[in-house]
Amino acid sequence: MTAKIFLVEESTFNFFPLLIVFLLAFLVPLLLNRFKVVPVVVGEIIAGVVIGVSGLGIVHADIILAFLGDIGLTFLMFLAGLEIDFDQIFKQRDNTQTDSRNPLINAMIAYGLTLTLAAVGAMILNRAGMAGDPWLLAFILSATSLGVLMPVLKEKNIGRTRFGQAILLTATISDFITVILLTIYLIIQARGLDVEIFSLSLLFLFFFIAYRLGIRYINIPRVRRVVEDLSRATVQIKVRGAIAIMLGFVVLAEFVNAELILGAFLAGMVISLIKSPQDDKLVENLEAFGFGFFIPVFFILVGVNLDLVSLWESPQALLILPLFFLVALGVKAFPMVTFRRSMSIRQMLASGILLNTHLSLEIAVVVIGIRTGLLSPSTSTVITLFAIITVLFMPILFNYLIPKQEEIQSRSIAICSAGPEALSVARELVAHDEKVVILDDDMDIVQQAQKSGFAAILIDQVNQSQVLDALAIKGFLALCTDDQRNLKQCQAAKSRGIPTVVARVNDPANLPEFRQAGIETFVPTLSQTIMLAMMVRNPGVFSLLTSTTDDRDIREITLHNQQLIGRSLHKLAFPGDVLVLSIRRENDFIIPHGNVQVEYHDRLTVLGCPDELEQVAAALRN
């Protein structure tokens, strides 16, 4: 049966420990702000040690904190499931890959080797004197921390490269399968191998039903419109729905006597599957809700309950820590040989080191191990210390082995050609001081573009992906007359992290496919009507938009400055002659006027001189 994660030591409601915990949750990030190398969650665990049973002893896990800690763990696993990128897992193999196997197959083979080595490593650790269930130790060794991996790869600008995606895919498969195997193992430990274990299939049946219903109804225009209307600040219907789905899975997990972490993890995966590219704000709101309130309580309570005294009572457990590191490194590094055709030896070693970061899932397993009696207090303390040290030092070693890819300041806009129209668009972009490269599979068009002074490259289905990887592209424009070809090209561009991807859609009936993929669209028939209407109603504005003789430009800037939220446009005091042309709020376009109030993550389309636009961008993003 699923029980409370933290042991309850008080029977009365006392809010003083809760106050101490939240004061620490507030102060720790402020204190660590100057030490970027130390993750906040590590600071929270250390703060919990200071006030807990191994420190000052002023806080114990009473009934309130125990409940909030359970919710924190639930939210942590829910957000971990939300990070699963199914497009990355199931995307088709690139024709240009030197490895003949699908990356998903490589990741599955790597995890199989990881789990095998982890089981052997757990037996070695047991023989060396580390007390604990060997399979629980194996699950800890085979898991990794997606929450640590993703920021490291983004910081080094390699998250969208084939190397970075291989690491992310391997980590995703690792966490996903480990959570499932852990749940099955704990059920077997509690009840044995009987027919009741098949009740676990109810969770996966519920997962499939929730996914199918979600996909079916959320894309109905009327339903989507109602959901968007109710997603304003005072209702946040998307957040409420996501939390309801999470709790539904948790309750079902309790009903089938499974661990709540599996239910929460599956709930996060459901949201990841049914959310659209326009739901980024939903993810931000859920992360703010979890990391702003419940999750810090969980990590601080991990520190509160961390029994450092047990290490002094059994010092041999502490001596095992170096061996634990060596075993864990071998468990993670050796399986990366499955990527030997697409990675260098240095990259394989670096990826194994980065995959050896352990935090959220591992600490959750430790907490469960203590509760079920499968891990001794000294072993759980060693594992927690191990997780903290890996989070601190594994990213540093990875950064040493894989130098950061420098940002290229002068990036180009790639145009997948449709003949003369591409040249016209290219001239317009060059008039605005943009660098352009034209891609086409017709040699005549490539030669014509080169004679006109443009960079042009001949592409085909085999080398297109290699060309996209080699170029420094900030925008991608598909102008082919075949909508399906435009869609495939834009999807390839999106998969490589190109921030702006636009396609001409010749048949409006194909618009849903492009929008579902998060691609900006241009429909000639509709756009022509809109532009003609604008010329009649606002000829001055149209002239501003189309003029290339002055020093003005247009830029879309996203509002991230918390201090500006709720202000009216006329109070923003933009410099010079800056003009706000439109505001995009999720799926809505707002025609701006002075009394319109801006909200977080609004995307403002702004017209002005380059220097003035830089000032506006700095004001909106700071």
Side-chain angles (χ1 to χ4, degrees):
M1 294 291 292
T2 301
K4 289 293 181 184
I5 295 297
F6 299 100
L7 298 176
V8 178
E9 298 185 4
E10 297 180 12
S11 57
T12 59
F13 291 92
N14 184 356
F15 284 92
F16 179 72
L18 181 61
L19 173 63
I20 296 297
V21 168
F22 272 102
L23 280 176
L24 288 176
F26 173 73
L27 292 174
V28 166
L30 295 177
L31 295 174
L32 294 180
N33 186 50
R34 299 181 65 180
F35 306 96
K36 302 295 185 181
V37 72
V38 181
V40 172
V41 292
V42 173
E44 289 167 349
I45 294 173
I46 294 173
V49 172
V50 172
I51 63 173
V53 296
S54 298
L56 301 176
I58 59 176
V59 170
H60 301 276
D62 62 17
I63 190 170
I64 298 176
L65 290 177
F67 173 74
L68 293 178
D70 283 349
I71 299 295
L73 175 59
T74 301
F75 240 105
L76 188 66
M77 299 310 301
F78 173 67
L79 294 177
L82 196 58
E83 289 180 347
I84 302 296
D85 186 353
F86 287 93
D87 290 335
Q88 171 62 23
I89 292 177
F90 296 113
K91 73 178 182 180
Q92 293 182 348
R93 183 174 61 85
D94 196 332
N95 291 330
T96 65
Q97 280 185 244
T98 55
D99 192 341
S100 60
R101 282 196 300 256
N102 187 294
L104 176 59
I105 296 176
N106 274 338
M108 294 289 289
I109 294 173
Y111 180 75
L113 288 173
T114 298
L115 188 59
T116 302
L117 292 173
V120 174
M123 289 188 287
I124 293 173
L125 292 170
N126 273 165
R127 288 182 175 274
M130 193 172 196
D133 182 85
W135 276 109
L136 214 57
L137 293 176
F139 292 137
I140 290 171
L141 288 169
S142 60
T144 191
S145 179
L146 268 174
V148 176
L149 286 175
M150 294 181 71
V152 172
L153 295 176
K154 288 179 181 178
E155 175 65 23
K156 297 181 71 61
N157 305 319
I158 59 175
R160 288 292 183 179
T161 65
R162 190 170 299 140
F163 172 53
Q165 288 294 300
I167 296 175
L168 282 175
L169 182 58
T170 304
T172 297
I173 293 296
S174 175
D175 276 6
F176 175 59
I177 300 181
T178 297
V179 169
I180 294 174
L181 293 180
L182 171 67
T183 302
I184 294 173
Y185 181 70
L186 291 173
I187 291 175
I188 293 174
Q189 284 289 310
R191 305 199 309 257
L193 188 60
D194 58 27
V195 293
E196 290 188 20
I197 196 172
F198 293 105
S199 62
L200 190 65
S201 61
L202 289 175
L203 265 177
F204 294 97
L205 177 62
F206 191 40
F207 171 83
F208 179 76
I209 293 173
Y211 162 66
R212 295 299 299 175
L213 291 178
I215 288 293
R216 178 176 180 180
Y217 289 104
I218 201 65
N219 290 320
I220 297 176
R222 183 176 179 181
V223 174
R224 190 79 188 178
R225 188 163 52 250
V226 170
V227 170
E228 296 297 338
D229 290 343
L230 293 176
S231 295
R232 57 186 183 273
T234 56
V235 179
Q236 295 291 346
I237 196 67
K238 292 182 182 179
V239 176
R240 299 186 189 193
I243 294 175
I245 290 173
M246 179 189 74
L247 293 177
F249 273 93
V250 169
V251 169
L252 184 60
E254 290 184 335
F255 177 75
V256 299
N257 291 313
E259 287 295 333
L260 61 85
I261 62 172
L262 178 60
F265 193 79
L266 290 176
M269 289 171 57
V270 168
I271 302 300
S272 178
L273 279 167
I274 66 176
K275 70 180 179 67
S276 68
Q278 290 77 36
D279 289 330
D280 290 342
K281 192 172 182 179
L282 167 64
V283 178
E284 292 176 2
N285 289 338
L286 290 171
E287 289 177 343
F289 194 64
F291 286 104
F293 187 72
F294 293 110
I295 295 175
V297 176
F298 168 72
F299 281 115
I300 291 174
L301 286 185
V302 168
V304 166
N305 291 282
L306 197 61
D307 188 7
L308 295 176
V309 177
S310 62
L311 290 179
W312 301 111
E313 294 177 351
S314 63
Q316 68 273 16
L318 190 59
L319 295 175
I320 292 175
L321 189 57
L323 177 62
F324 199 95
F325 268 103
L326 291 175
V327 170
L329 184 59
V331 165
K332 289 295 186 180
F334 181 76
M336 297 310 292
V337 297
T338 57
F339 293 93
R340 63 189 180 278
R341 296 180 182 177
S342 57
M343 288 186 189
S344 65
I345 294 176
R346 189 185 187 94
Q347 287 177 325
M348 287 188 289
L349 177 61
S351 58
I353 287 173
L354 188 59
L355 286 166
N356 195 34
T357 54
H358 300 265
L359 191 60
S360 304
L361 177 57
E362 294 81 347
I363 289 179
V365 175
V366 166
V367 172
I368 293 170
I370 295 174
R371 173 173 54 77
T372 56
L374 296 176
L375 292 177
S376 67
S378 60
T379 297
S380 64
T381 302
V382 168
I383 295 172
T384 303
L385 291 175
F386 162 76
I388 292 173
I389 295 172
T390 60
V391 168
L392 289 174
F393 292 104
M394 295 300 108
I396 295 175
L397 290 175
F398 178 80
N399 289 337
Y400 175 77
L401 289 171
I402 306 294
K404 181 177 180 178
Q405 294 186 3
E406 296 297 328
E407 290 282 1
I408 300 174
Q409 298 300 322
S410 179
R411 292 181 176 270
S412 302
I413 294 175
I415 302 177
C416 244
S417 174
E421 183 180 12
L423 298 181
S424 300
V425 175
R427 292 189 188 97
E428 184 73 16
L429 289 169
V430 170
H432 286 280
D433 296 325
E434 297 287 357
K435 292 192 174 183
V436 177
V437 58
I438 294 176
L439 312 177
D440 205 294
D441 58 2
D442 188 328
M443 177 58 77
D444 292 337
I445 293 176
V446 170
Q447 290 177 345
Q448 182 182 355
Q450 290 173 343
K451 289 178 182 178
S452 300
F454 297 110
I457 300 174
L458 183 68
I459 62 168
D460 52 38
Q461 291 184 349
V462 176
N463 75 346
Q464 177 181 329
S465 297
Q466 290 176 331
V467 170
L468 289 177
D469 285 336
L471 294 175
I473 301 175
K474 69 177 182 180
F476 184 88
L477 176 60
L479 291 177
C480 300
T481 55
D482 183 351
D483 284 350
Q484 290 305 312
R485 183 181 176 190
N486 282 341
L487 179 61
K488 290 180 180 179
Q489 290 171 337
C490 288
Q491 287 174 330
K494 291 279 290 183
S495 70
R496 279 156 177 79
I498 297 174
T500 303
V501 178
V502 182
R504 183 174 76 174
V505 180
N506 302 283
D507 184 355
N510 294 325
L511 277 173
E513 288 185 87
F514 286 84
R515 290 174 178 169
Q516 186 68 24
I519 300 167
E520 300 291 340
T521 57
F522 169 79
V523 183
T525 53
L526 298 178
S527 301
Q528 183 178 3
T529 302
I530 294 170
M531 293 303 289
L532 288 171
M534 178 184 285
M535 288 184 68
V536 173
R537 295 176 63 242
N538 300 291
V541 174
F542 181 80
S543 298
L544 285 172
L545 292 175
T546 57
S547 173
T548 60
T549 58
D550 58 15
D551 192 31
R552 277 172 285 198
D553 202 352
I554 298 174
R555 186 183 302 182
E556 184 179 73
I557 307 170
T558 303
L559 173 63
H560 286 144
N561 190 341
Q562 299 280 354
Q563 297 179 351
L564 301 182
I565 295 174
R567 290 192 186 183
S568 302
L569 277 178
H570 70 270
K571 294 183 179 180
L572 294 183
F574 289 145
D577 296 325
V578 169
L579 177 65
V580 180
L581 301 176
S582 68
I583 300 175
R584 184 170 179 176
R585 185 171 296 161
E586 296 189 354
N587 292 329
D588 296 329
F589 281 93
I590 301 172
I591 303 299
H593 54 79
N595 293 324
V596 170
Q597 294 181 338
V598 294
E599 295 183 5
Y600 182 77
H601 216 270
D602 278 354
R603 286 180 281 180
L604 283 68
T605 301
V606 185
L607 172 70
C609 298
D611 291 342
E612 294 173 344
L613 291 179
E614 287 298 328
Q615 296 177 41
V616 173
L620 294 178
R621 291 171 181 168
N622 286 341

